[in-house]
């Protein structure tokens, strides 16, 4: 069983304790206080896979246009208990991103602002460890969306399937040797990562489908590389 | 808020039985799905574990084991379901299931599954054990992994093509470089030729031969051929045997065993896309009877063959348990029988010396039609080249024929009660005499005459000069189709054995020795069906030998309606399956397999299907008498 090396970043528990104490908004406070205990074994950790489609990559200038959530555990993924929202971007939809997501202006015309569904979203996340593929994107967009609408900070640990792949394929001595010899680095994108575990190809760039794909990928990663008894706090970032 | 279960729904809609569901029910199933990933080697269901779900394979492959946990029961792949028979039974796992590839499994809870089955009859028919018969054939095709695996899926490597003028040393180094054991030899040709395809440089070429590493060793080294000689000089020059990419892996394997070749080029249309190696395939699947056929063909002694014949029954039962299709099972049993004949001929030649003149050992009847069951006896005959001289060669062929028929009997293929065997001097004749026999039967067909000889109209070569058999087949195809009197006599013959149906669609049973009320499925079912279909096949000049193959040929003509073809096919497959299952069950219970079933022990729906099959036969026989009337005797027989 591989163990992921602990980062020497400030500990999440100190940060969270401080934040819960300062937090004004009850929904945010309950989300932070109900995060799974870091000592919970992966096999018993309730999780939720989350994926956003956005109008661009910069959380300060772009908006979320769709959110997909799929609750799961190491044992079972529950696709039908998942959620999918289309959201109206406050700054409008850029043409360039339309081709990417296949979400069109007319589809977003009736879509609500995130403020109207934020409660549902936070409910779906509460009590679960959030699993994403590339946490920098989801974390910063969620943080900004909550800050703009509730005036609160929202930062909490997430499990990142991409960072697990990066650790396996980019940071090992073998990966370094491969890079040194001039061969291209192994791709750690969602689709390519799934292929390594013989997971079937899905239509990408749909928030719900990508969330489902991420949940399946994490199940596969754990079956391959980690013990189900590993405390979830060892893997979150 | 809307949830997109499109990925799940679309996938399930491609596979039985979900493809039968209307959209709202399919959505209900998709909504119930829960997913889990299993790494290759992990156990998915353990024996006696309580089961509350049906499992669907979204990707990957699994193996089901029998109760003992070590005997393979079945292999399933993408789109297959497991657990539903256990669910219907008592909700505990009977067959442990293990992932053999990384697999994504969909779980559907029992309540949803049952509710959908309640609301959709077609779905229920597929999954309900008692209602499974109607779809038994489709289901068989699904559940046998060898049948559902296409030849193209087994292709590991691109084929190595080389032009016939390439030197052996150059070809050998190419083979070594690319780690392949054979090279496909091409020759430039006109692009309009039927076998022409474009090579990598877009030049029209055609496949003319194949050279294996073994050829390189035996021919080049042993015969001291110069390494500078061209491929053309050593390539196997006889007709190249190939298979299509869309053929099943099973079909490809049978072909290699039947033709006794180690390498089989796979074509996509006319273009080769890869080469299958027998050794690889046998590793892929050792639990079936292809392995047995291969062992028979390599057996060094008659004692070894007799020993191997014990395995035929065991393999037969396991094929039935794995729900291989009846046509596949009969085909495999037929090729097994032919493999025995072939190997015995070779062993006879070892013992009595090489044949003084060329000959062909042909098999007749069910073995030629590839419809052998476990109870079939032997029917064979010898065609000897016309240079045969009785005084010089008579003893040799008599010895050879007796050697083969006696040992066949020892291997479990009983002597033919009608003496239709090569050991009978009448059926051990030069080709010209055989031509005369057939011309005579066709030109002056008294029904009595044909009763004896109709078995000769199904013929295949098991050993020796295939061209002799081919010549007789072509003679039959040409002469029979243009001779209405002959067809009429054959038709009358085919109508001799009637289906066991009474006036009010009741079964007419026979009392056998043990006082069972039974029906003989062969005598009253499959045999007269084959007879009926043979007449149409002769009428349209078909050279196919199998009953289903003949139906394909007949379907291309106006002789019989498309609807009737469909019914005949169904009736034949149904009766064959029933017969095979009946025999396998008898063997499993330690009884002697036979052809007699007792309809009283059947379920309502089974009786219904049986009746339908027999009605098809009755209708087909009526039509036959009408289509090929016996002139002058009409009043007597109408």
């Amino acid at each position: 069983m591989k163990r992921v090396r602990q980062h020497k970043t400030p500990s999440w528990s100190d940060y969270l304790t401080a934040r819960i104490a300062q937090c004004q908004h009850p929904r945010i406070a309950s989300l932070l206080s109900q995060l799974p205990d870091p000592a919970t074994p992966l096999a018993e950790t309730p999780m939720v896979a989350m994926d956003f489609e956005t109008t661009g990559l910069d959380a300060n200038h772009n908006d979320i246009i769709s959110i997909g959530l799929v609750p799961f555990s190491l044992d079972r993924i529950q696709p039908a208990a998942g959620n999918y929202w289309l959201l109206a971007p406050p700054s409008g939809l850029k043409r360039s991103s339309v081709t990417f997501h296949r979400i069109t202006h007319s589809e977003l015309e009736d879509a609500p602002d995130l403020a109207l569904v934020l409660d549902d979203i936070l409910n779906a996340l509460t009590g679960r460890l959030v699993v994403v593929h590339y946490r920098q994107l989801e974390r910063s967009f969620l943080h900004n969306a909550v800050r703009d609408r509730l005036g609160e900070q929202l930062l909490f640990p997430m499990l990142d399937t991409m960072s697990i792949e990066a650790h396996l394929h980019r940071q090992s001595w073998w990966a370094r040797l491969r890079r040194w010899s001039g061969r291209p680095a192994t791709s750690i994108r969602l689709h390519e990562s799934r292929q390594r575990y013989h997971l079937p190809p899905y239509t990408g760039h749909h928030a719900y489908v990508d969330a489902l794909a991420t949940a399946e990928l994490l199940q596969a990663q754990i079956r391959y590389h980690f013990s189900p008894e590993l405390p979830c706090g060892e893997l979150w970032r | 808020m809307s949830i997109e279960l499109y990925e799940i729904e679309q996938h399930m809609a491609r596979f039985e039985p979900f493809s039968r569901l209307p959209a709202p029910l399919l959505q209900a199933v998709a909504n119930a799905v829960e997913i889990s990933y299993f790494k290759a080697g992990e156990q998915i269901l353990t024996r006696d574990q309580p089961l509350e779900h049906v499992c669907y394979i979204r990707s990957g492959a699994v193996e089901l084991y029998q109760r003992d946990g070590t005997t393979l029961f079945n292999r399933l792949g993408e789109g297959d379901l497991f657990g539903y028979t256990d669910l219907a039974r008592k909700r505990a796992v009977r067959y442990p299931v293990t992932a053999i590839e990384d697999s994504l499994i969909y779980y559907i809870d029992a309540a949803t599954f049952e509710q959908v089955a309640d609301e959709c009859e077609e779905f229920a028919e597929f999954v309900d054990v008692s209602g499974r018969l109607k779809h038994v054939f489709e289901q068989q095709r699904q559940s046998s992994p060898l049948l559902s695996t296409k030849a193209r899926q087994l292709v590991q490597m691109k084929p190595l093509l080389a032009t016939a003028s390439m030197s052996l040393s150059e070809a050998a180094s190419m083979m070594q470089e690319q780690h392949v054991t054979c090279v496909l030899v091409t020759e430039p040709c006109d692009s309009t030729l039927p076998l022409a395809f474009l090579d990598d440089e877009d030049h029209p070429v055609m496949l003319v031969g194949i050279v294996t590493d073994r050829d390189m060793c035996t021919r080049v080294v042993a015969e001291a051929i110069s390494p500078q000689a061209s491929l053309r000089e050593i390539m196997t020059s006889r007709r190249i045997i190939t298979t299509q990419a869309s053929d099943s892996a099973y079909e490809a394997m049978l072909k290699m065993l039947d033709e006794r070749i180690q390498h089989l080029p796979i074509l996509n249309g006319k273009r080769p896309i890869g080469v299958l190696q027998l050794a690889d395939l046998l590793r892929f699947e050792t639990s079936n009877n292809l392995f047995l056929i291969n062992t028979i063909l390599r057996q060094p002694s008659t004692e070894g063959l007799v020993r191997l014949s014990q395995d035929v029954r065991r393999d037969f039962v396991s094929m039935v348990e794995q729900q291989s299709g009846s046509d596949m099972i009969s085909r495999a049993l037929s090729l097994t029988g032919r493999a025995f004949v072939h190997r015995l001929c070779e062993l006879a030649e070892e013992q009595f010396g090489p044949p003084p003149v060329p000959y062909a050992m042909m098999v007749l009847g069910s073995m030629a039609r590839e419809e052998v069951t476990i109870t079939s006896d032997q029917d064979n005959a010898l065609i000897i080249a016309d240079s045969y001289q009785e005084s010089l060669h008579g003893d040799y062929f008599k010895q050879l024929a007796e050697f083969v028929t006696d040992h066949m009997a020892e291997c479990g293929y009983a002597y033919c009660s009608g003496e239709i065997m090569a050991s009978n001097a009448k059926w051990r004749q030069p080709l010209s005499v055989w031509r005369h026999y057939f011309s005579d039967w066709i030109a002056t067909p008294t029904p009595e005459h044909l009763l004896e000889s109709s078995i000769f109209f199904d013929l295949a070569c098991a050993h020796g000069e295939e061209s002799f058999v081919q010549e007789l087949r072509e003679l039959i195809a040409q002469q029979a189709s243009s001779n209405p009197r002959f067809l009429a006599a054959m038709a009358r013959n085919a109508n001799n054995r009637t289906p066991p149906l009474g006036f009010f669609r009741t079964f007419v049973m026979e009392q056998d020795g043990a006082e069972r009320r039974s029906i003989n499925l062969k005598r009253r079912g499959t045999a007269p069906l084959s007879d009926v279909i043979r007449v149409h096949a002769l009428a349209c000049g078909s050279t196919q030998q199998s009953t289903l193959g003949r139906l394909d040929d007949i379907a291309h003509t106006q002789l019989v309606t498309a609807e009737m073809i469909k019914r005949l096919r169904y009736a034949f497959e149904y009766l064959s399956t029933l017969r095979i299952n009946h025999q396998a069950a008898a063997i499993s219970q330690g009884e002697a397999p036979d052809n007699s079933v007792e309809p009283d022990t059947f379920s309502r729906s089974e009786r219904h299907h049986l009746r339908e099959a027999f009605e098809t036969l009755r209708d087909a026989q009526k039509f036959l008498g009408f289509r090929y009337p016996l002139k002058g005797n009409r009043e007597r027989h109408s």
Side-chain angles (χ1 to χ4, degrees), chain B residues 469-489:
Chain B
V469 178
Q470 195 53 34
E471 193 181 324
L472 293 181
R473 281 186 183 177
E474 275 157 25
L475 178 148
I476 297 167
Q478 279 166 17
Q479 298 190 1
S481 57
S482 55
N483 195 320
R485 276 188 62 215
F486 167 72
L487 293 174

PDB file of all heavy atoms in Angstrom, chain B residues 469-489:
ATOM      1  N   VAL B 469     -14.572 -35.330 -52.827  1.00  0.00           N
ATOM      2  CA  VAL B 469     -15.868 -35.077 -52.194  1.00  0.00           C
ATOM      3  C   VAL B 469     -16.528 -33.872 -52.852  1.00  0.00           C
ATOM      4  O   VAL B 469     -17.725 -33.874 -53.145  1.00  0.00           O
ATOM      5  CB  VAL B 469     -15.689 -34.854 -50.677  1.00  0.00           C
ATOM      6  CG1 VAL B 469     -17.026 -34.551 -50.023  1.00  0.00           C
ATOM      7  CG2 VAL B 469     -15.035 -36.069 -50.037  1.00  0.00           C
ATOM      8  N   GLN B 470     -15.691 -32.850 -53.117  1.00  0.00           N
ATOM      9  CA  GLN B 470     -16.207 -31.636 -53.738  1.00  0.00           C
ATOM     10  C   GLN B 470     -16.832 -31.956 -55.097  1.00  0.00           C
ATOM     11  O   GLN B 470     -17.895 -31.444 -55.436  1.00  0.00           O
ATOM     12  CB  GLN B 470     -15.065 -30.621 -53.885  1.00  0.00           C
ATOM     13  CG  GLN B 470     -15.495 -29.206 -54.189  1.00  0.00           C
ATOM     14  CD  GLN B 470     -16.519 -28.683 -53.199  1.00  0.00           C
ATOM     15  OE1 GLN B 470     -16.497 -29.019 -52.014  1.00  0.00           O
ATOM     16  NE2 GLN B 470     -17.464 -27.879 -53.684  1.00  0.00           N
ATOM     17  N   GLU B 471     -16.190 -32.838 -55.832  1.00  0.00           N
ATOM     18  CA  GLU B 471     -16.696 -33.196 -57.154  1.00  0.00           C
ATOM     19  C   GLU B 471     -18.079 -33.844 -57.055  1.00  0.00           C
ATOM     20  O   GLU B 471     -18.989 -33.525 -57.821  1.00  0.00           O
ATOM     21  CB  GLU B 471     -15.716 -34.135 -57.849  1.00  0.00           C
ATOM     22  CG  GLU B 471     -16.042 -34.275 -59.324  1.00  0.00           C
ATOM     23  CD  GLU B 471     -15.094 -35.223 -60.046  1.00  0.00           C
ATOM     24  OE1 GLU B 471     -13.902 -35.252 -59.709  1.00  0.00           O
ATOM     25  OE2 GLU B 471     -15.577 -35.918 -60.949  1.00  0.00           O
ATOM     26  N   LEU B 472     -18.247 -34.728 -56.080  1.00  0.00           N
ATOM     27  CA  LEU B 472     -19.544 -35.377 -55.908  1.00  0.00           C
ATOM     28  C   LEU B 472     -20.611 -34.368 -55.480  1.00  0.00           C
ATOM     29  O   LEU B 472     -21.744 -34.413 -55.950  1.00  0.00           O
ATOM     30  CB  LEU B 472     -19.445 -36.510 -54.881  1.00  0.00           C
ATOM     31  CG  LEU B 472     -18.588 -37.718 -55.297  1.00  0.00           C
ATOM     32  CD1 LEU B 472     -18.584 -38.771 -54.204  1.00  0.00           C
ATOM     33  CD2 LEU B 472     -19.096 -38.315 -56.615  1.00  0.00           C
ATOM     34  N   ARG B 473     -20.213 -33.443 -54.604  1.00  0.00           N
ATOM     35  CA  ARG B 473     -21.172 -32.420 -54.178  1.00  0.00           C
ATOM     36  C   ARG B 473     -21.673 -31.619 -55.368  1.00  0.00           C
ATOM     37  O   ARG B 473     -22.856 -31.308 -55.482  1.00  0.00           O
ATOM     38  CB  ARG B 473     -20.511 -31.446 -53.197  1.00  0.00           C
ATOM     39  CG  ARG B 473     -20.390 -31.972 -51.794  1.00  0.00           C
ATOM     40  CD  ARG B 473     -19.869 -30.837 -50.931  1.00  0.00           C
ATOM     41  NE  ARG B 473     -19.658 -31.288 -49.563  1.00  0.00           N
ATOM     42  CZ  ARG B 473     -19.146 -30.523 -48.610  1.00  0.00           C
ATOM     43  NH1 ARG B 473     -18.787 -29.284 -48.891  1.00  0.00           N
ATOM     44  NH2 ARG B 473     -18.989 -30.977 -47.398  1.00  0.00           N
ATOM     45  N   GLU B 474     -20.736 -31.270 -56.251  1.00  0.00           N
ATOM     46  CA  GLU B 474     -21.131 -30.455 -57.400  1.00  0.00           C
ATOM     47  C   GLU B 474     -22.009 -31.244 -58.371  1.00  0.00           C
ATOM     48  O   GLU B 474     -22.966 -30.713 -58.930  1.00  0.00           O
ATOM     49  CB  GLU B 474     -19.894 -29.884 -58.093  1.00  0.00           C
ATOM     50  CG  GLU B 474     -19.454 -28.598 -57.406  1.00  0.00           C
ATOM     51  CD  GLU B 474     -17.991 -28.255 -57.625  1.00  0.00           C
ATOM     52  OE1 GLU B 474     -17.423 -28.697 -58.647  1.00  0.00           O
ATOM     53  OE2 GLU B 474     -17.415 -27.556 -56.763  1.00  0.00           O
ATOM     54  N   LEU B 475     -21.679 -32.523 -58.517  1.00  0.00           N
ATOM     55  CA  LEU B 475     -22.505 -33.388 -59.367  1.00  0.00           C
ATOM     56  C   LEU B 475     -23.948 -33.409 -58.839  1.00  0.00           C
ATOM     57  O   LEU B 475     -24.905 -33.251 -59.595  1.00  0.00           O
ATOM     58  CB  LEU B 475     -21.904 -34.789 -59.376  1.00  0.00           C
ATOM     59  CG  LEU B 475     -22.611 -35.892 -60.165  1.00  0.00           C
ATOM     60  CD1 LEU B 475     -21.563 -36.873 -60.716  1.00  0.00           C
ATOM     61  CD2 LEU B 475     -23.615 -36.675 -59.333  1.00  0.00           C
ATOM     62  N   ILE B 476     -24.078 -33.572 -57.526  1.00  0.00           N
ATOM     63  CA  ILE B 476     -25.418 -33.616 -56.914  1.00  0.00           C
ATOM     64  C   ILE B 476     -26.142 -32.288 -57.156  1.00  0.00           C
ATOM     65  O   ILE B 476     -27.287 -32.249 -57.608  1.00  0.00           O
ATOM     66  CB  ILE B 476     -25.327 -33.883 -55.402  1.00  0.00           C
ATOM     67  CG1 ILE B 476     -24.707 -35.248 -55.130  1.00  0.00           C
ATOM     68  CG2 ILE B 476     -26.703 -33.777 -54.744  1.00  0.00           C
ATOM     69  CD1 ILE B 476     -24.304 -35.462 -53.687  1.00  0.00           C
ATOM     70  N   ALA B 477     -25.438 -31.187 -56.875  1.00  0.00           N
ATOM     71  CA  ALA B 477     -26.067 -29.876 -57.000  1.00  0.00           C
ATOM     72  C   ALA B 477     -26.574 -29.634 -58.417  1.00  0.00           C
ATOM     73  O   ALA B 477     -27.647 -29.083 -58.623  1.00  0.00           O
ATOM     74  CB  ALA B 477     -25.081 -28.785 -56.575  1.00  0.00           C
ATOM     75  N   GLN B 478     -25.777 -30.076 -59.402  1.00  0.00           N
ATOM     76  CA  GLN B 478     -26.178 -29.845 -60.788  1.00  0.00           C
ATOM     77  C   GLN B 478     -27.317 -30.749 -61.232  1.00  0.00           C
ATOM     78  O   GLN B 478     -28.298 -30.290 -61.794  1.00  0.00           O
ATOM     79  CB  GLN B 478     -24.980 -30.070 -61.731  1.00  0.00           C
ATOM     80  CG  GLN B 478     -24.062 -28.869 -61.788  1.00  0.00           C
ATOM     81  CD  GLN B 478     -22.740 -29.228 -62.427  1.00  0.00           C
ATOM     82  OE1 GLN B 478     -22.623 -30.263 -63.096  1.00  0.00           O
ATOM     83  NE2 GLN B 478     -21.744 -28.381 -62.227  1.00  0.00           N
ATOM     84  N   GLN B 479     -27.162 -32.037 -60.964  1.00  0.00           N
ATOM     85  CA  GLN B 479     -28.134 -32.974 -61.520  1.00  0.00           C
ATOM     86  C   GLN B 479     -29.464 -32.973 -60.756  1.00  0.00           C
ATOM     87  O   GLN B 479     -30.518 -33.101 -61.350  1.00  0.00           O
ATOM     88  CB  GLN B 479     -27.550 -34.385 -61.541  1.00  0.00           C
ATOM     89  CG  GLN B 479     -26.304 -34.467 -62.429  1.00  0.00           C
ATOM     90  CD  GLN B 479     -25.855 -35.897 -62.667  1.00  0.00           C
ATOM     91  OE1 GLN B 479     -26.468 -36.838 -62.190  1.00  0.00           O
ATOM     92  NE2 GLN B 479     -24.766 -36.058 -63.402  1.00  0.00           N
ATOM     93  N   ALA B 480     -29.396 -32.825 -59.442  1.00  0.00           N
ATOM     94  CA  ALA B 480     -30.617 -32.955 -58.646  1.00  0.00           C
ATOM     95  C   ALA B 480     -31.608 -31.834 -58.935  1.00  0.00           C
ATOM     96  O   ALA B 480     -32.808 -32.070 -59.064  1.00  0.00           O
ATOM     97  CB  ALA B 480     -30.266 -32.985 -57.164  1.00  0.00           C
ATOM     98  N   SER B 481     -31.087 -30.601 -59.068  1.00  0.00           N
ATOM     99  CA  SER B 481     -31.993 -29.459 -59.187  1.00  0.00           C
ATOM    100  C   SER B 481     -32.821 -29.530 -60.473  1.00  0.00           C
ATOM    101  O   SER B 481     -33.908 -28.971 -60.550  1.00  0.00           O
ATOM    102  CB  SER B 481     -31.195 -28.154 -59.134  1.00  0.00           C
ATOM    103  OG  SER B 481     -30.231 -28.149 -60.144  1.00  0.00           O
ATOM    104  N   SER B 482     -32.288 -30.227 -61.498  1.00  0.00           N
ATOM    105  CA  SER B 482     -33.003 -30.246 -62.771  1.00  0.00           C
ATOM    106  C   SER B 482     -33.804 -31.534 -62.962  1.00  0.00           C
ATOM    107  O   SER B 482     -34.198 -31.859 -64.066  1.00  0.00           O
ATOM    108  CB  SER B 482     -31.990 -30.077 -63.920  1.00  0.00           C
ATOM    109  OG  SER B 482     -30.996 -31.077 -63.803  1.00  0.00           O
ATOM    110  N   ASN B 483     -33.992 -32.262 -61.878  1.00  0.00           N
ATOM    111  CA  ASN B 483     -34.695 -33.534 -62.021  1.00  0.00           C
ATOM    112  C   ASN B 483     -35.913 -33.617 -61.104  1.00  0.00           C
ATOM    113  O   ASN B 483     -35.818 -34.051 -59.957  1.00  0.00           O
ATOM    114  CB  ASN B 483     -33.716 -34.680 -61.718  1.00  0.00           C
ATOM    115  CG  ASN B 483     -34.259 -36.002 -62.199  1.00  0.00           C
ATOM    116  OD1 ASN B 483     -35.460 -36.274 -62.059  1.00  0.00           O
ATOM    117  ND2 ASN B 483     -33.405 -36.818 -62.779  1.00  0.00           N
ATOM    118  N   PRO B 484     -37.101 -33.203 -61.639  1.00  0.00           N
ATOM    119  CA  PRO B 484     -38.298 -33.148 -60.792  1.00  0.00           C
ATOM    120  C   PRO B 484     -38.682 -34.513 -60.220  1.00  0.00           C
ATOM    121  O   PRO B 484     -39.184 -34.601 -59.103  1.00  0.00           O
ATOM    122  CB  PRO B 484     -39.396 -32.635 -61.726  1.00  0.00           C
ATOM    123  CG  PRO B 484     -38.759 -32.363 -63.040  1.00  0.00           C
ATOM    124  CD  PRO B 484     -37.337 -32.760 -63.006  1.00  0.00           C
ATOM    125  N   ARG B 485     -38.437 -35.568 -60.970  1.00  0.00           N
ATOM    126  CA  ARG B 485     -38.818 -36.888 -60.457  1.00  0.00           C
ATOM    127  C   ARG B 485     -38.010 -37.238 -59.209  1.00  0.00           C
ATOM    128  O   ARG B 485     -38.519 -37.796 -58.252  1.00  0.00           O
ATOM    129  CB  ARG B 485     -38.582 -37.956 -61.529  1.00  0.00           C
ATOM    130  CG  ARG B 485     -39.730 -38.077 -62.512  1.00  0.00           C
ATOM    131  CD  ARG B 485     -39.527 -39.271 -63.432  1.00  0.00           C
ATOM    132  NE  ARG B 485     -39.497 -40.538 -62.713  1.00  0.00           N
ATOM    133  CZ  ARG B 485     -38.733 -41.573 -63.066  1.00  0.00           C
ATOM    134  NH1 ARG B 485     -37.931 -41.478 -64.095  1.00  0.00           N
ATOM    135  NH2 ARG B 485     -38.783 -42.700 -62.386  1.00  0.00           N
ATOM    136  N   PHE B 486     -36.733 -36.909 -59.279  1.00  0.00           N
ATOM    137  CA  PHE B 486     -35.872 -37.179 -58.139  1.00  0.00           C
ATOM    138  C   PHE B 486     -36.324 -36.373 -56.919  1.00  0.00           C
ATOM    139  O   PHE B 486     -36.456 -36.884 -55.812  1.00  0.00           O
ATOM    140  CB  PHE B 486     -34.415 -36.852 -58.497  1.00  0.00           C
ATOM    141  CG  PHE B 486     -33.492 -36.801 -57.321  1.00  0.00           C
ATOM    142  CD1 PHE B 486     -33.124 -37.976 -56.667  1.00  0.00           C
ATOM    143  CD2 PHE B 486     -32.982 -35.595 -56.855  1.00  0.00           C
ATOM    144  CE1 PHE B 486     -32.278 -37.932 -55.564  1.00  0.00           C
ATOM    145  CE2 PHE B 486     -32.135 -35.547 -55.757  1.00  0.00           C
ATOM    146  CZ  PHE B 486     -31.781 -36.720 -55.102  1.00  0.00           C
ATOM    147  N   LEU B 487     -36.586 -35.062 -57.164  1.00  0.00           N
ATOM    148  CA  LEU B 487     -37.012 -34.201 -56.055  1.00  0.00           C
ATOM    149  C   LEU B 487     -38.311 -34.720 -55.451  1.00  0.00           C
ATOM    150  O   LEU B 487     -38.486 -34.731 -54.222  1.00  0.00           O
ATOM    151  CB  LEU B 487     -37.176 -32.754 -56.532  1.00  0.00           C
ATOM    152  CG  LEU B 487     -35.866 -32.058 -56.934  1.00  0.00           C
ATOM    153  CD1 LEU B 487     -36.160 -30.685 -57.522  1.00  0.00           C
ATOM    154  CD2 LEU B 487     -34.921 -31.931 -55.744  1.00  0.00           C
ATOM    155  N   ALA B 488     -39.219 -35.180 -56.324  1.00  0.00           N
ATOM    156  CA  ALA B 488     -40.498 -35.686 -55.836  1.00  0.00           C
ATOM    157  C   ALA B 488     -40.290 -36.933 -54.971  1.00  0.00           C
ATOM    158  O   ALA B 488     -40.912 -37.104 -53.919  1.00  0.00           O
ATOM    159  CB  ALA B 488     -41.413 -36.004 -57.015  1.00  0.00           C
ATOM    160  N   ALA B 489     -39.374 -37.794 -55.400  1.00  0.00           N
ATOM    161  CA  ALA B 489     -39.100 -39.004 -54.630  1.00  0.00           C
ATOM    162  C   ALA B 489     -38.493 -38.654 -53.280  1.00  0.00           C
ATOM    163  O   ALA B 489     -38.846 -39.237 -52.248  1.00  0.00           O
ATOM    164  CB  ALA B 489     -38.162 -39.917 -55.415  1.00  0.00           C
TER     165      ALA B 489
END
